[in-house]
Amino acid sequence: MAKINIEEARKLAKLSRLEFSEDELKNFVAEFDKTLEQVATIEKVDVSKVSLIENTLKSDIELRSDIVEPSFTQKEILANAPEQKDGAFVVPITVE
Amino acid sequence: MDYLKCSLYEIRQMLENNEISSVELTKLCLDRINSTQNLNAIISTCEEQAIDAAKKCDQARKKGEKLGPLAGIPVVIKDNINLVGTKTTCASKFLENWISPFNATCAQKLIDAGAVIIGKANMDEFAMGSSTENSAFGVCRNPVNEDYVPGGSSGGSAATVASFQSFASLGTDTGGSIREPASFCGVVGLKPTYGRVSRFGVVAFASSLDQVGCFTRTVRDSAIMLNVLAGEDKKDMTSAKILVPDYEKSITGSVKGKKIGIAKQFFSDALNNEVRANIEKAIKLYEDNGAEIVDIDLPSLDTALAVYYIISSAEAASNLARFDGVKYGVRAKNFSDTVDLYFKSRTQGFGKEVKRRIMLGNYVLSSGYFDAFYRKAKKVQKIIRQEFETAFEKCDVIICPTTATVAFKLGEKCDDHLAMYLNDIYTVPVNIAGLPAISIPCGKVSNGLPVGMQLIAPHFKEETLFNFGDFYEKHAKEI
């Protein structure tokens, strides 16, 4: 059964764009092992004859036509911005 | 006359007969929300919008205009459903100031049907939880006994209906988040078939499992609500292009000749004895009234919880990747660069359970584990779905408890997330298979807390749930 060590947990946190203190990470590893024990119950199931379904219910998904319709105004979209300037979202400088 | 104690069906007739106006009724509900604030069922009210909608309804009624099926009736929606001009927080610090610029389709359908939306219900953050204790806006309490949890994640939606603040509410159900709180609070909770109700405008947790449904005080009310909510939506390509019947008319008053499937896997030793006794009495009632009991087998049921946590966490990790503090939501104050902005905003904005699920989701999706966990879980999902399909060749409906126990005390499972997860063992398989199910009140146990009975039907056979549910509701006093 899969288990996780603190290094893997640190890597996972980085992938998840989340920060944890060392203590939080240690607690997390202990909890995570218990969760993995639970999810490992699927190991015993024989799936050799099962082909993968990509969609739970429908095989006939239809896409709607690509027609231009009225949408949000710039003002509406920017209304929830944490920081905005001159009609744009403000982000830190990414290119020097 | 205590108008607040009426069912939706009854209050609709009273409004039609001008016994009470929608404005009067809306004010009564808003007052009730204020006087029962200790429950913390509601995150925010939309008083101004609600009174305005109620006034318009009253004026239209006076003029003799044709009104919608929910005209003038106060309802509440879960706070992960977008409603123009209101905060949609998902009970997260991350979205505490997010104001919806659009309506979710289900909210729009309520408005089009004339309903008066009076508030947004408390929930577990991003719908992750089974007790509504993971809310950034404080725990919600069970109206039956305030020392106990209302269930979750739609705990506020259940509590508002159970405490007579509103006549119906919307919730979302990814692994039991409507049925479990309905069971704990003693109300009716419907999780329709995946695809029956549009998810457009509902903040996604696990897109392939999420489904919008409703809480009501009677089964008939639930049918009235689904009549309004169901149907294809061009904005949600997973919504089903399948004819919507008149659900209210599906209530026939008879279960004679119908077949009830009983799976031993739903009645294992984990089931509380008092809960078991209540469910068995209900099954006997159906049998005494002409229904036939058939044994069915769902051998892979014990793997459903694992499948659920793998798939739902994987989808949650992907869905929640959009929360980065750039275009909306919380933005951390001090950061060194853009990537640091993501790290800090997400760390400050998300609660513990959400972080736990994002980490699990990214784990099962990461290279080296993808096949062993995610791909395998998708295959086991197919097996579970096939087992249900085989079972439904022998029966019209499956009956089981909604939960293995009644509501637990506030704080009791907070430190043991696995015990919390295990709470969903009877509800999760339904989402894994995309089936419709309803939880209806089924008596109480000795400490006075309600028991929920779960009825599960084949895909798009919600009519069966309403017919069986209504039958029990009407005859329950006979046992």
Side-chain angles (χ1 to χ4, degrees), chain A residues 8 16 19 31 35 42-45 51 56-58 62 80 90 94, chain B residues 98-99 194 239 241 302 331 338 346-347 356 362 369 376 385 417:
Chain A
E8 284 175 308
S16 304
E19 289 174 342
E31 283 177 1
T35 309
I42 62 161
E43 278 179 3
K44 64 177 185 188
V45 187
S51 67
T56 322
L57 210 56
K58 287 172 55 176
E62 275 181 35
N80 280 297
V90 174
T94 47
Chain B
W98 155 259
I99 295 175
Y194 183 79
S239 66
K241 210 178 191 173
D302 62 340
R331 175 178 286 199
T338 311
R346 289 167 64 80
T347 301
R356 188 184 279 134
N362 282 329
Y369 300 108
K376 179 136 189 188
R385 190 182 148 91
H417 71 287

PDB file of all heavy atoms in Angstrom, chain A residues 8 16 19 31 35 42-45 51 56-58 62 80 90 94, chain B residues 98-99 194 239 241 302 331 338 346-347 356 362 369 376 385 417:
ATOM      1  N   GLU A   8       7.764  13.874  -0.105  1.00  0.00           N
ATOM      2  CA  GLU A   8       6.681  13.801  -1.102  1.00  0.00           C
ATOM      3  C   GLU A   8       5.580  14.793  -0.768  1.00  0.00           C
ATOM      4  O   GLU A   8       5.003  15.427  -1.648  1.00  0.00           O
ATOM      5  CB  GLU A   8       6.093  12.387  -1.141  1.00  0.00           C
ATOM      6  CG  GLU A   8       6.960  11.392  -1.870  1.00  0.00           C
ATOM      7  CD  GLU A   8       6.384   9.985  -1.769  1.00  0.00           C
ATOM      8  OE1 GLU A   8       6.107   9.541  -0.622  1.00  0.00           O
ATOM      9  OE2 GLU A   8       6.197   9.353  -2.805  1.00  0.00           O
ATOM     10  N   SER A  16       0.480  21.899  -5.457  1.00  0.00           N
ATOM     11  CA  SER A  16      -0.851  22.417  -5.116  1.00  0.00           C
ATOM     12  C   SER A  16      -0.848  23.914  -4.873  1.00  0.00           C
ATOM     13  O   SER A  16      -1.897  24.495  -4.610  1.00  0.00           O
ATOM     14  CB  SER A  16      -1.384  21.701  -3.867  1.00  0.00           C
ATOM     15  OG  SER A  16      -1.397  20.316  -4.038  1.00  0.00           O
ATOM     16  N   GLU A  19       1.162  26.497   1.029  1.00  0.00           N
ATOM     17  CA  GLU A  19       2.277  26.517   1.979  1.00  0.00           C
ATOM     18  C   GLU A  19       1.835  25.890   3.298  1.00  0.00           C
ATOM     19  O   GLU A  19       0.726  26.149   3.765  1.00  0.00           O
ATOM     20  CB  GLU A  19       2.712  27.963   2.244  1.00  0.00           C
ATOM     21  CG  GLU A  19       3.422  28.594   1.064  1.00  0.00           C
ATOM     22  CD  GLU A  19       3.712  30.075   1.282  1.00  0.00           C
ATOM     23  OE1 GLU A  19       3.085  30.690   2.171  1.00  0.00           O
ATOM     24  OE2 GLU A  19       4.560  30.604   0.550  1.00  0.00           O
ATOM     25  N   GLU A  31      -2.107  12.017   8.688  1.00  0.00           N
ATOM     26  CA  GLU A  31      -3.516  11.940   8.245  1.00  0.00           C
ATOM     27  C   GLU A  31      -3.614  11.320   6.857  1.00  0.00           C
ATOM     28  O   GLU A  31      -4.501  10.533   6.574  1.00  0.00           O
ATOM     29  CB  GLU A  31      -4.110  13.351   8.155  1.00  0.00           C
ATOM     30  CG  GLU A  31      -4.480  13.963   9.474  1.00  0.00           C
ATOM     31  CD  GLU A  31      -4.994  15.390   9.278  1.00  0.00           C
ATOM     32  OE1 GLU A  31      -5.068  15.876   8.125  1.00  0.00           O
ATOM     33  OE2 GLU A  31      -5.312  16.011  10.278  1.00  0.00           O
ATOM     34  N   THR A  35      -5.799   8.187   5.098  1.00  0.00           N
ATOM     35  CA  THR A  35      -6.680   8.350   3.942  1.00  0.00           C
ATOM     36  C   THR A  35      -6.289   7.365   2.848  1.00  0.00           C
ATOM     37  O   THR A  35      -7.140   6.729   2.229  1.00  0.00           O
ATOM     38  CB  THR A  35      -6.589   9.796   3.393  1.00  0.00           C
ATOM     39  OG1 THR A  35      -6.772  10.699   4.469  1.00  0.00           O
ATOM     40  CG2 THR A  35      -7.647  10.059   2.334  1.00  0.00           C
ATOM     41  N   ILE A  42      -9.622  -0.066  -3.107  1.00  0.00           N
ATOM     42  CA  ILE A  42      -9.910  -0.417  -4.510  1.00  0.00           C
ATOM     43  C   ILE A  42      -8.842  -1.343  -5.096  1.00  0.00           C
ATOM     44  O   ILE A  42      -9.035  -1.909  -6.156  1.00  0.00           O
ATOM     45  CB  ILE A  42     -10.095   0.818  -5.433  1.00  0.00           C
ATOM     46  CG1 ILE A  42      -8.832   1.679  -5.500  1.00  0.00           C
ATOM     47  CG2 ILE A  42     -11.302   1.636  -5.054  1.00  0.00           C
ATOM     48  CD1 ILE A  42      -8.836   2.595  -6.719  1.00  0.00           C
ATOM     49  N   GLU A  43      -7.724  -1.491  -4.373  1.00  0.00           N
ATOM     50  CA  GLU A  43      -6.656  -2.361  -4.894  1.00  0.00           C
ATOM     51  C   GLU A  43      -7.149  -3.776  -5.158  1.00  0.00           C
ATOM     52  O   GLU A  43      -6.741  -4.428  -6.105  1.00  0.00           O
ATOM     53  CB  GLU A  43      -5.484  -2.412  -3.891  1.00  0.00           C
ATOM     54  CG  GLU A  43      -4.558  -1.222  -4.013  1.00  0.00           C
ATOM     55  CD  GLU A  43      -3.422  -1.262  -2.995  1.00  0.00           C
ATOM     56  OE1 GLU A  43      -3.324  -2.254  -2.232  1.00  0.00           O
ATOM     57  OE2 GLU A  43      -2.644  -0.297  -2.960  1.00  0.00           O
ATOM     58  N   LYS A  44      -8.055  -4.255  -4.282  1.00  0.00           N
ATOM     59  CA  LYS A  44      -8.510  -5.650  -4.379  1.00  0.00           C
ATOM     60  C   LYS A  44      -9.459  -5.912  -5.555  1.00  0.00           C
ATOM     61  O   LYS A  44      -9.725  -7.043  -5.915  1.00  0.00           O
ATOM     62  CB  LYS A  44      -9.187  -6.059  -3.068  1.00  0.00           C
ATOM     63  CG  LYS A  44     -10.458  -5.264  -2.797  1.00  0.00           C
ATOM     64  CD  LYS A  44     -11.175  -5.716  -1.541  1.00  0.00           C
ATOM     65  CE  LYS A  44     -12.484  -4.937  -1.435  1.00  0.00           C
ATOM     66  NZ  LYS A  44     -13.213  -5.097  -0.236  1.00  0.00           N
ATOM     67  N   VAL A  45      -9.991  -4.862  -6.155  1.00  0.00           N
ATOM     68  CA  VAL A  45     -10.987  -5.052  -7.215  1.00  0.00           C
ATOM     69  C   VAL A  45     -10.301  -5.428  -8.528  1.00  0.00           C
ATOM     70  O   VAL A  45      -9.331  -4.798  -8.936  1.00  0.00           O
ATOM     71  CB  VAL A  45     -11.822  -3.760  -7.429  1.00  0.00           C
ATOM     72  CG1 VAL A  45     -12.956  -4.018  -8.416  1.00  0.00           C
ATOM     73  CG2 VAL A  45     -12.366  -3.242  -6.114  1.00  0.00           C
ATOM     74  N   SER A  51     -13.220  -1.665 -19.537  1.00  0.00           N
ATOM     75  CA  SER A  51     -12.634  -0.597 -20.338  1.00  0.00           C
ATOM     76  C   SER A  51     -13.015   0.719 -19.692  1.00  0.00           C
ATOM     77  O   SER A  51     -14.062   0.838 -19.055  1.00  0.00           O
ATOM     78  CB  SER A  51     -13.147  -0.669 -21.773  1.00  0.00           C
ATOM     79  OG  SER A  51     -14.523  -0.369 -21.769  1.00  0.00           O
ATOM     80  N   THR A  56     -19.452   9.713 -17.315  1.00  0.00           N
ATOM     81  CA  THR A  56     -20.268   8.903 -16.424  1.00  0.00           C
ATOM     82  C   THR A  56     -21.579   8.474 -17.067  1.00  0.00           C
ATOM     83  O   THR A  56     -22.043   7.378 -16.881  1.00  0.00           O
ATOM     84  CB  THR A  56     -20.592   9.722 -15.165  1.00  0.00           C
ATOM     85  OG1 THR A  56     -19.457  10.481 -14.821  1.00  0.00           O
ATOM     86  CG2 THR A  56     -20.978   8.823 -14.016  1.00  0.00           C
ATOM     87  N   LEU A  57     -22.182   9.353 -17.809  1.00  0.00           N
ATOM     88  CA  LEU A  57     -23.548   9.072 -18.204  1.00  0.00           C
ATOM     89  C   LEU A  57     -23.825   9.161 -19.699  1.00  0.00           C
ATOM     90  O   LEU A  57     -24.523   8.354 -20.248  1.00  0.00           O
ATOM     91  CB  LEU A  57     -24.469  10.053 -17.469  1.00  0.00           C
ATOM     92  CG  LEU A  57     -25.858   9.552 -17.165  1.00  0.00           C
ATOM     93  CD1 LEU A  57     -25.796   8.270 -16.377  1.00  0.00           C
ATOM     94  CD2 LEU A  57     -26.613  10.599 -16.372  1.00  0.00           C
ATOM     95  N   LYS A  58     -23.288  10.147 -20.330  1.00  0.00           N
ATOM     96  CA  LYS A  58     -23.716  10.402 -21.695  1.00  0.00           C
ATOM     97  C   LYS A  58     -22.596  10.189 -22.710  1.00  0.00           C
ATOM     98  O   LYS A  58     -21.464  10.570 -22.492  1.00  0.00           O
ATOM     99  CB  LYS A  58     -24.216  11.847 -21.820  1.00  0.00           C
ATOM    100  CG  LYS A  58     -25.554  12.056 -21.155  1.00  0.00           C
ATOM    101  CD  LYS A  58     -25.938  13.512 -21.111  1.00  0.00           C
ATOM    102  CE  LYS A  58     -25.924  14.145 -22.462  1.00  0.00           C
ATOM    103  NZ  LYS A  58     -26.384  15.521 -22.451  1.00  0.00           N
ATOM    104  N   GLU A  62     -23.314  17.028 -26.869  1.00  0.00           N
ATOM    105  CA  GLU A  62     -23.395  17.969 -27.989  1.00  0.00           C
ATOM    106  C   GLU A  62     -22.772  19.294 -27.586  1.00  0.00           C
ATOM    107  O   GLU A  62     -22.997  19.776 -26.486  1.00  0.00           O
ATOM    108  CB  GLU A  62     -24.865  18.245 -28.319  1.00  0.00           C
ATOM    109  CG  GLU A  62     -25.473  17.242 -29.241  1.00  0.00           C
ATOM    110  CD  GLU A  62     -26.926  17.584 -29.538  1.00  0.00           C
ATOM    111  OE1 GLU A  62     -27.264  18.770 -29.617  1.00  0.00           O
ATOM    112  OE2 GLU A  62     -27.711  16.626 -29.667  1.00  0.00           O
ATOM    113  N   ASN A  80     -14.976  42.330  -9.433  1.00  0.00           N
ATOM    114  CA  ASN A  80     -14.499  41.481  -8.344  1.00  0.00           C
ATOM    115  C   ASN A  80     -12.965  41.424  -8.257  1.00  0.00           C
ATOM    116  O   ASN A  80     -12.418  40.643  -7.483  1.00  0.00           O
ATOM    117  CB  ASN A  80     -15.039  40.054  -8.509  1.00  0.00           C
ATOM    118  CG  ASN A  80     -16.475  39.933  -8.011  1.00  0.00           C
ATOM    119  OD1 ASN A  80     -16.752  40.126  -6.832  1.00  0.00           O
ATOM    120  ND2 ASN A  80     -17.389  39.652  -8.920  1.00  0.00           N
ATOM    121  N   VAL A  90      -4.407  43.936 -12.218  1.00  0.00           N
ATOM    122  CA  VAL A  90      -3.012  44.210 -11.871  1.00  0.00           C
ATOM    123  C   VAL A  90      -2.374  42.934 -11.321  1.00  0.00           C
ATOM    124  O   VAL A  90      -2.934  42.287 -10.441  1.00  0.00           O
ATOM    125  CB  VAL A  90      -2.915  45.336 -10.815  1.00  0.00           C
ATOM    126  CG1 VAL A  90      -1.470  45.521 -10.351  1.00  0.00           C
ATOM    127  CG2 VAL A  90      -3.469  46.634 -11.376  1.00  0.00           C
ATOM    128  N   THR A  94       6.080  40.271 -14.278  1.00  0.00           N
ATOM    129  CA  THR A  94       6.569  38.918 -14.550  1.00  0.00           C
ATOM    130  C   THR A  94       7.775  38.935 -15.485  1.00  0.00           C
ATOM    131  O   THR A  94       8.541  38.001 -15.534  1.00  0.00           O
ATOM    132  CB  THR A  94       5.462  38.047 -15.176  1.00  0.00           C
ATOM    133  OG1 THR A  94       4.843  38.798 -16.227  1.00  0.00           O
ATOM    134  CG2 THR A  94       4.410  37.670 -14.153  1.00  0.00           C
TER     135      THR A  94
ATOM    136  N   TRP B  98     -16.871  38.057  -2.940  1.00  0.00           N
ATOM    137  CA  TRP B  98     -17.217  37.812  -4.351  1.00  0.00           C
ATOM    138  C   TRP B  98     -18.711  38.098  -4.572  1.00  0.00           C
ATOM    139  O   TRP B  98     -19.571  37.535  -3.912  1.00  0.00           O
ATOM    140  CB  TRP B  98     -16.875  36.368  -4.722  1.00  0.00           C
ATOM    141  CG  TRP B  98     -17.659  35.784  -5.861  1.00  0.00           C
ATOM    142  CD1 TRP B  98     -18.715  34.929  -5.773  1.00  0.00           C
ATOM    143  CD2 TRP B  98     -17.437  35.985  -7.267  1.00  0.00           C
ATOM    144  NE1 TRP B  98     -19.166  34.596  -7.020  1.00  0.00           N
ATOM    145  CE2 TRP B  98     -18.406  35.228  -7.950  1.00  0.00           C
ATOM    146  CE3 TRP B  98     -16.515  36.730  -8.002  1.00  0.00           C
ATOM    147  CZ2 TRP B  98     -18.484  35.193  -9.337  1.00  0.00           C
ATOM    148  CZ3 TRP B  98     -16.591  36.694  -9.381  1.00  0.00           C
ATOM    149  CH2 TRP B  98     -17.559  35.935 -10.038  1.00  0.00           C
ATOM    150  N   ILE B  99     -19.019  38.995  -5.481  1.00  0.00           N
ATOM    151  CA  ILE B  99     -20.412  39.308  -5.794  1.00  0.00           C
ATOM    152  C   ILE B  99     -20.732  38.784  -7.187  1.00  0.00           C
ATOM    153  O   ILE B  99     -20.062  39.115  -8.165  1.00  0.00           O
ATOM    154  CB  ILE B  99     -20.678  40.827  -5.693  1.00  0.00           C
ATOM    155  CG1 ILE B  99     -20.479  41.246  -4.225  1.00  0.00           C
ATOM    156  CG2 ILE B  99     -22.086  41.176  -6.166  1.00  0.00           C
ATOM    157  CD1 ILE B  99     -20.573  42.714  -3.964  1.00  0.00           C
ATOM    158  N   TYR B 194     -27.804  12.568 -12.268  1.00  0.00           N
ATOM    159  CA  TYR B 194     -26.774  13.443 -12.829  1.00  0.00           C
ATOM    160  C   TYR B 194     -27.221  13.871 -14.230  1.00  0.00           C
ATOM    161  O   TYR B 194     -27.543  13.020 -15.060  1.00  0.00           O
ATOM    162  CB  TYR B 194     -25.426  12.705 -12.905  1.00  0.00           C
ATOM    163  CG  TYR B 194     -24.311  13.591 -13.415  1.00  0.00           C
ATOM    164  CD1 TYR B 194     -23.700  14.495 -12.572  1.00  0.00           C
ATOM    165  CD2 TYR B 194     -23.909  13.538 -14.747  1.00  0.00           C
ATOM    166  CE1 TYR B 194     -22.705  15.338 -13.044  1.00  0.00           C
ATOM    167  CE2 TYR B 194     -22.911  14.367 -15.220  1.00  0.00           C
ATOM    168  CZ  TYR B 194     -22.313  15.259 -14.364  1.00  0.00           C
ATOM    169  OH  TYR B 194     -21.331  16.096 -14.820  1.00  0.00           O
ATOM    170  N   SER B 239     -26.004  18.502 -19.066  1.00  0.00           N
ATOM    171  CA  SER B 239     -27.436  18.424 -18.744  1.00  0.00           C
ATOM    172  C   SER B 239     -28.112  17.560 -19.806  1.00  0.00           C
ATOM    173  O   SER B 239     -27.746  17.597 -20.984  1.00  0.00           O
ATOM    174  CB  SER B 239     -28.056  19.824 -18.670  1.00  0.00           C
ATOM    175  OG  SER B 239     -28.040  20.456 -19.923  1.00  0.00           O
ATOM    176  N   LYS B 241     -30.716  15.748 -22.381  1.00  0.00           N
ATOM    177  CA  LYS B 241     -31.750  16.087 -23.358  1.00  0.00           C
ATOM    178  C   LYS B 241     -32.832  15.010 -23.251  1.00  0.00           C
ATOM    179  O   LYS B 241     -33.064  14.247 -24.185  1.00  0.00           O
ATOM    180  CB  LYS B 241     -31.095  16.049 -24.745  1.00  0.00           C
ATOM    181  CG  LYS B 241     -31.701  16.980 -25.755  1.00  0.00           C
ATOM    182  CD  LYS B 241     -30.907  16.837 -27.038  1.00  0.00           C
ATOM    183  CE  LYS B 241     -31.242  17.904 -28.030  1.00  0.00           C
ATOM    184  NZ  LYS B 241     -30.373  17.847 -29.184  1.00  0.00           N
ATOM    185  N   ASP B 302     -18.650  -1.607  -1.006  1.00  0.00           N
ATOM    186  CA  ASP B 302     -17.676  -1.174   0.006  1.00  0.00           C
ATOM    187  C   ASP B 302     -16.477  -0.432  -0.597  1.00  0.00           C
ATOM    188  O   ASP B 302     -15.661   0.124   0.124  1.00  0.00           O
ATOM    189  CB  ASP B 302     -17.212  -2.358   0.871  1.00  0.00           C
ATOM    190  CG  ASP B 302     -16.515  -3.424   0.053  1.00  0.00           C
ATOM    191  OD1 ASP B 302     -16.717  -3.458  -1.179  1.00  0.00           O
ATOM    192  OD2 ASP B 302     -15.750  -4.216   0.641  1.00  0.00           O
ATOM    193  N   ARG B 331      -6.695  38.235  -2.197  1.00  0.00           N
ATOM    194  CA  ARG B 331      -5.319  38.387  -2.659  1.00  0.00           C
ATOM    195  C   ARG B 331      -4.454  38.670  -1.439  1.00  0.00           C
ATOM    196  O   ARG B 331      -4.737  39.591  -0.674  1.00  0.00           O
ATOM    197  CB  ARG B 331      -5.200  39.529  -3.666  1.00  0.00           C
ATOM    198  CG  ARG B 331      -3.767  39.787  -4.080  1.00  0.00           C
ATOM    199  CD  ARG B 331      -3.638  40.878  -5.120  1.00  0.00           C
ATOM    200  NE  ARG B 331      -4.078  40.420  -6.433  1.00  0.00           N
ATOM    201  CZ  ARG B 331      -3.722  41.037  -7.571  1.00  0.00           C
ATOM    202  NH1 ARG B 331      -2.958  42.112  -7.554  1.00  0.00           N
ATOM    203  NH2 ARG B 331      -4.145  40.595  -8.716  1.00  0.00           N
ATOM    204  N   THR B 338       4.666  36.666  -8.877  1.00  0.00           N
ATOM    205  CA  THR B 338       3.341  36.124  -9.218  1.00  0.00           C
ATOM    206  C   THR B 338       3.105  34.750  -8.595  1.00  0.00           C
ATOM    207  O   THR B 338       2.034  34.484  -8.053  1.00  0.00           O
ATOM    208  CB  THR B 338       3.189  36.026 -10.757  1.00  0.00           C
ATOM    209  OG1 THR B 338       3.577  37.274 -11.314  1.00  0.00           O
ATOM    210  CG2 THR B 338       1.765  35.737 -11.144  1.00  0.00           C
ATOM    211  N   ARG B 346      -3.719  31.356  -1.864  1.00  0.00           N
ATOM    212  CA  ARG B 346      -4.383  30.072  -1.678  1.00  0.00           C
ATOM    213  C   ARG B 346      -4.231  29.591  -0.239  1.00  0.00           C
ATOM    214  O   ARG B 346      -5.177  29.060   0.348  1.00  0.00           O
ATOM    215  CB  ARG B 346      -3.818  29.034  -2.663  1.00  0.00           C
ATOM    216  CG  ARG B 346      -4.229  29.303  -4.096  1.00  0.00           C
ATOM    217  CD  ARG B 346      -3.436  28.482  -5.098  1.00  0.00           C
ATOM    218  NE  ARG B 346      -3.640  27.046  -4.991  1.00  0.00           N
ATOM    219  CZ  ARG B 346      -4.683  26.392  -5.489  1.00  0.00           C
ATOM    220  NH1 ARG B 346      -5.623  27.045  -6.122  1.00  0.00           N
ATOM    221  NH2 ARG B 346      -4.782  25.072  -5.371  1.00  0.00           N
ATOM    222  N   THR B 347      -3.044  29.778   0.307  1.00  0.00           N
ATOM    223  CA  THR B 347      -2.794  29.324   1.687  1.00  0.00           C
ATOM    224  C   THR B 347      -3.670  30.098   2.670  1.00  0.00           C
ATOM    225  O   THR B 347      -4.219  29.521   3.610  1.00  0.00           O
ATOM    226  CB  THR B 347      -1.296  29.497   2.029  1.00  0.00           C
ATOM    227  OG1 THR B 347      -0.542  28.727   1.085  1.00  0.00           O
ATOM    228  CG2 THR B 347      -0.991  29.017   3.435  1.00  0.00           C
ATOM    229  N   ARG B 356      -6.698  19.760   2.319  1.00  0.00           N
ATOM    230  CA  ARG B 356      -6.499  18.307   2.390  1.00  0.00           C
ATOM    231  C   ARG B 356      -6.955  17.652   1.083  1.00  0.00           C
ATOM    232  O   ARG B 356      -6.287  16.782   0.530  1.00  0.00           O
ATOM    233  CB  ARG B 356      -7.304  17.774   3.569  1.00  0.00           C
ATOM    234  CG  ARG B 356      -7.053  16.328   3.895  1.00  0.00           C
ATOM    235  CD  ARG B 356      -7.960  15.853   5.013  1.00  0.00           C
ATOM    236  NE  ARG B 356      -7.479  16.221   6.320  1.00  0.00           N
ATOM    237  CZ  ARG B 356      -8.236  16.743   7.293  1.00  0.00           C
ATOM    238  NH1 ARG B 356      -9.512  16.963   7.093  1.00  0.00           N
ATOM    239  NH2 ARG B 356      -7.723  17.039   8.457  1.00  0.00           N
ATOM    240  N   ASN B 362      -4.265  16.129  -6.097  1.00  0.00           N
ATOM    241  CA  ASN B 362      -3.029  16.234  -6.879  1.00  0.00           C
ATOM    242  C   ASN B 362      -2.166  14.981  -6.728  1.00  0.00           C
ATOM    243  O   ASN B 362      -1.435  14.607  -7.645  1.00  0.00           O
ATOM    244  CB  ASN B 362      -2.252  17.489  -6.468  1.00  0.00           C
ATOM    245  CG  ASN B 362      -2.864  18.725  -7.107  1.00  0.00           C
ATOM    246  OD1 ASN B 362      -3.410  18.662  -8.206  1.00  0.00           O
ATOM    247  ND2 ASN B 362      -2.797  19.850  -6.414  1.00  0.00           N
ATOM    248  N   TYR B 369       1.108   7.662  -9.839  1.00  0.00           N
ATOM    249  CA  TYR B 369      -0.065   7.246  -9.069  1.00  0.00           C
ATOM    250  C   TYR B 369      -1.355   7.318  -9.880  1.00  0.00           C
ATOM    251  O   TYR B 369      -2.389   6.829  -9.464  1.00  0.00           O
ATOM    252  CB  TYR B 369      -0.209   8.108  -7.805  1.00  0.00           C
ATOM    253  CG  TYR B 369       0.981   8.000  -6.890  1.00  0.00           C
ATOM    254  CD1 TYR B 369       1.876   9.046  -6.747  1.00  0.00           C
ATOM    255  CD2 TYR B 369       1.209   6.822  -6.179  1.00  0.00           C
ATOM    256  CE1 TYR B 369       2.983   8.937  -5.929  1.00  0.00           C
ATOM    257  CE2 TYR B 369       2.311   6.693  -5.358  1.00  0.00           C
ATOM    258  CZ  TYR B 369       3.202   7.752  -5.235  1.00  0.00           C
ATOM    259  OH  TYR B 369       4.287   7.631  -4.427  1.00  0.00           O
ATOM    260  N   LYS B 376      -7.845   3.606 -12.046  1.00  0.00           N
ATOM    261  CA  LYS B 376      -8.485   2.422 -11.456  1.00  0.00           C
ATOM    262  C   LYS B 376      -9.844   2.803 -10.848  1.00  0.00           C
ATOM    263  O   LYS B 376     -10.832   2.076 -11.004  1.00  0.00           O
ATOM    264  CB  LYS B 376      -7.569   1.818 -10.387  1.00  0.00           C
ATOM    265  CG  LYS B 376      -8.183   0.606  -9.726  1.00  0.00           C
ATOM    266  CD  LYS B 376      -7.233  -0.522  -9.548  1.00  0.00           C
ATOM    267  CE  LYS B 376      -7.986  -1.754  -9.090  1.00  0.00           C
ATOM    268  NZ  LYS B 376      -7.119  -2.832  -8.709  1.00  0.00           N
ATOM    269  N   ARG B 385     -21.547   1.032 -11.184  1.00  0.00           N
ATOM    270  CA  ARG B 385     -22.679   1.450 -12.013  1.00  0.00           C
ATOM    271  C   ARG B 385     -23.374   0.243 -12.652  1.00  0.00           C
ATOM    272  O   ARG B 385     -24.603   0.151 -12.649  1.00  0.00           O
ATOM    273  CB  ARG B 385     -22.135   2.391 -13.093  1.00  0.00           C
ATOM    274  CG  ARG B 385     -23.168   3.098 -13.892  1.00  0.00           C
ATOM    275  CD  ARG B 385     -22.455   3.948 -14.951  1.00  0.00           C
ATOM    276  NE  ARG B 385     -23.278   4.023 -16.132  1.00  0.00           N
ATOM    277  CZ  ARG B 385     -24.164   4.975 -16.349  1.00  0.00           C
ATOM    278  NH1 ARG B 385     -24.339   5.913 -15.478  1.00  0.00           N
ATOM    279  NH2 ARG B 385     -24.896   4.985 -17.436  1.00  0.00           N
ATOM    280  N   HIS B 417     -10.990  13.005  10.431  1.00  0.00           N
ATOM    281  CA  HIS B 417     -11.601  13.226   9.125  1.00  0.00           C
ATOM    282  C   HIS B 417     -12.066  11.925   8.479  1.00  0.00           C
ATOM    283  O   HIS B 417     -13.007  11.907   7.708  1.00  0.00           O
ATOM    284  CB  HIS B 417     -10.640  13.987   8.197  1.00  0.00           C
ATOM    285  CG  HIS B 417      -9.471  13.176   7.737  1.00  0.00           C
ATOM    286  ND1 HIS B 417      -8.424  12.835   8.556  1.00  0.00           N
ATOM    287  CD2 HIS B 417      -9.206  12.623   6.534  1.00  0.00           C
ATOM    288  CE1 HIS B 417      -7.564  12.108   7.872  1.00  0.00           C
ATOM    289  NE2 HIS B 417      -8.004  11.972   6.651  1.00  0.00           N
TER     290      HIS B 417
END
